[in-house]
Amino acid sequence: IDGHEIYVGVSIGVALPEGDPNKPEWLLKSADIALYRAKQAGRGTTRFFESHMDTELQARKALEYDLRQALLKNELEVYYQPLIDVKSNEVVAVEALLRWHHPIRGLVAPGDFIQMAEETGLIVPIGEWVLNTACKQILEWPNLGVAVNLSPIQFKNRDIVETVKAVLVNTGLDPNRLELEI
C-alpha cells in the first residue's frame, strides 16, 4: 500500500452449533471466547470453542471483579520481608510484598492475580497503593529503607515519576530510603 509492504495476521475462533441451532447469540459468544483463546496462544492460530473455555472465562471475570473490589474494600495488605546486610548481619531495609486476603478464597497467591492486574490496568492503582502504604509504614522504622516492586506496566506509565514524587511529598519520606525495583 503506497509503496509499503503490509503484513496481516489472523487468529480464528470457531464455534459449532450444539443442541438448538437457532441460538446465534450463543454461537457468536462462543466463537468470541475461542478467538480470545486463539489470541492468548500467540496469535496466528485457530481455536475451537470448548465448554470449559466459558467456565474459565467466567472464573477470570469473577476474579477480576473481586480484585477491583479488594482495592476498594481494603482487602490488600503489604507484608515486609527483611533485607539483611551480610557483613553486619543487620536488617538494613525491607521489601514490600503485596498480599490479598479474599473474604471467601482466603489468601490469594500473587501469581494468581498480578498478571491479571497488569492485563486489566489495575496494577497502576494497586501499585500506587502499595507504594503509598510502604512509604508510610517505613516512617515508623527510622533506620530502614524500603524496596517496592514496580510492574513493567507501571514503569511504562508516563505518570510514574509524578506518582513517586507525590507519594514522597505526601508521606515525607526521604527519597534515599526508597528503592524501586522492576
Side-chain angles (χ1 to χ4, degrees):
I1 296 177
D2 291 333
H4 299 281
E5 236 178 278
I6 306 226
Y7 296 93
V8 177
V10 65
S11 297
I12 300 172
V14 179
L16 302 173
E18 295 177 0
D20 185 355
N22 296 319
K23 293 193 175 185
E25 302 84 21
W26 178 90
L27 201 57
L28 286 172
K29 176 185 169 204
S30 299
D32 191 46
I33 292 169
L35 176 61
Y36 174 76
R37 281 316 244 337
K39 289 179 178 180
Q40 270 186 322
R43 303 189 184 267
T45 59
T46 302
R47 289 291 183 267
F48 284 82
F49 176 77
E50 297 172 17
S51 59
H52 70 85
M53 291 177 177
D54 187 38
T55 305
E56 291 169 2
L57 183 62
Q58 295 310 317
R60 179 181 163 78
K61 285 182 178 182
L63 187 65
E64 180 184 340
Y65 174 81
D66 287 352
L67 184 56
R68 288 181 189 282
Q69 293 301 305
L71 189 57
L72 298 173
K73 294 179 178 179
N74 296 317
E75 293 172 3
L76 301 175
E77 293 183 30
V78 177
Y79 285 23
Y80 298 94
Q81 176 175 301
L83 301 174
I84 300 171
D85 181 324
V86 292
K87 290 180 184 175
S88 67
N89 204 29
E90 293 181 8
V91 176
V92 293
V94 293
E95 180 178 5
L97 303 172
L98 177 63
R99 297 296 181 258
W100 177 16
H101 284 276
H102 189 280
I104 297 169
R105 301 172 196 254
L107 187 61
V108 181
D112 292 341
F113 70 90
I114 295 293
Q115 183 177 354
M116 175 188 299
E118 290 176 335
E119 290 170 0
T120 60
L122 282 172
I123 198 67
V124 173
I126 289 172
E128 187 174 337
W129 177 85
V130 170
L131 181 64
N132 193 52
T133 301
C135 288
K136 282 180 185 174
Q137 177 64 57
I138 204 66
L139 291 172
E140 296 180 22
W141 301 323
N143 297 322
L144 298 179
V146 64
V148 177
N149 293 309
L150 292 181
S151 158
I153 304 298
Q154 290 173 269
F155 190 70
K156 290 177 187 175
N157 186 321
R158 68 172 67 173
D159 296 330
I160 189 62
V161 172
E162 291 306 315
T163 298
V164 172
K165 282 181 183 178
V167 167
L168 289 171
V169 167
N170 290 339
T171 61
L173 182 67
D174 178 348
N176 292 319
R177 294 179 61 195
L178 175 63
E179 179 180 321
L180 299 174
E181 299 178 352
I182 299 173

